[in-house]
Amino acid sequence: MASPAVAKLSFQCYAPIGFGESLVVTGDTPILGADDPALGVELTTSAAAYPVWTTPAPVAVFARQTVRYRYAVFRGGAFDRWETFEGDQTRRHAAVDPGALSDATDGADALLTDRIACAGLRSWTEADAADAVASDASAAAVARASADPAS
């Protein structure tokens, strides 16, 4: 019996979220956290690439299926909000192309490029960029900076 075909997907998303926030993709497959944002795949960006976020490595999914996914914004290491959609849509859908199949001779992967909308999106300012360069970007420092002082 042949094993199921596997495809490699990379996610890229335009998301001008705030300083100290991060972006996670989650979906209906186990590798994307089975719709649990805490188990999803965190995307990364840099000062040069911002506001474009990408998965650090392709994720493997079964080919010839539809992957349902969405983006979540985290603040201070905790889930904050989902991206928003128009109408009654709640997820994005991607048909996994057999052309994205991985094998020993083909290292290519499929790239899903998105632009999100959600509450709280704002422009990245020069002050944010300066803060990013000069700040401690450790998880502990981000959590301290993002904590609500009223708590």
Side-chain angles (χ1 to χ4, degrees), residues 18-144:
F19 183 71
E21 294 181 321
S22 60
L23 192 65
V24 170
V25 62
T26 185
D28 62 352
T29 64
I31 195 75
L32 293 177
D35 284 326
D36 182 345
L39 301 176
V41 177
E42 187 170 3
L43 284 75
T44 60
T45 192
S46 66
Y50 183 87
V52 176
W53 298 74
T54 57
T55 46
V59 295
V61 297
F62 291 119
R64 298 176 184 88
Q65 71 172 3
T66 298
V67 175
R68 286 167 286 286
Y69 67 100
R70 61 184 168 166
Y71 295 97
V73 177
F74 279 63
R75 180 179 295 172
F79 173 77
D80 186 57
R81 63 193 183 275
W82 291 110
E83 69 173 305
T84 55
F85 296 97
E86 291 185 18
D88 60 356
Q89 180 181 352
T90 61
R91 303 275 191 288
R92 295 171 184 272
H93 302 267
V96 180
D97 184 341
L101 297 180
S102 62
D103 60 32
T105 60
D106 180 14
D109 59 287
L111 176 64
L112 300 176
T113 301
D114 299 306
R115 175 183 290 260
I116 71 166
C118 63
L121 289 185
R122 66 177 183 78
S123 298
W124 183 262
T125 66
E126 287 185 31
D128 289 333
D131 288 345
V133 170
S135 71
D136 176 0
S138 68
V142 171
R144 283 191 306 273

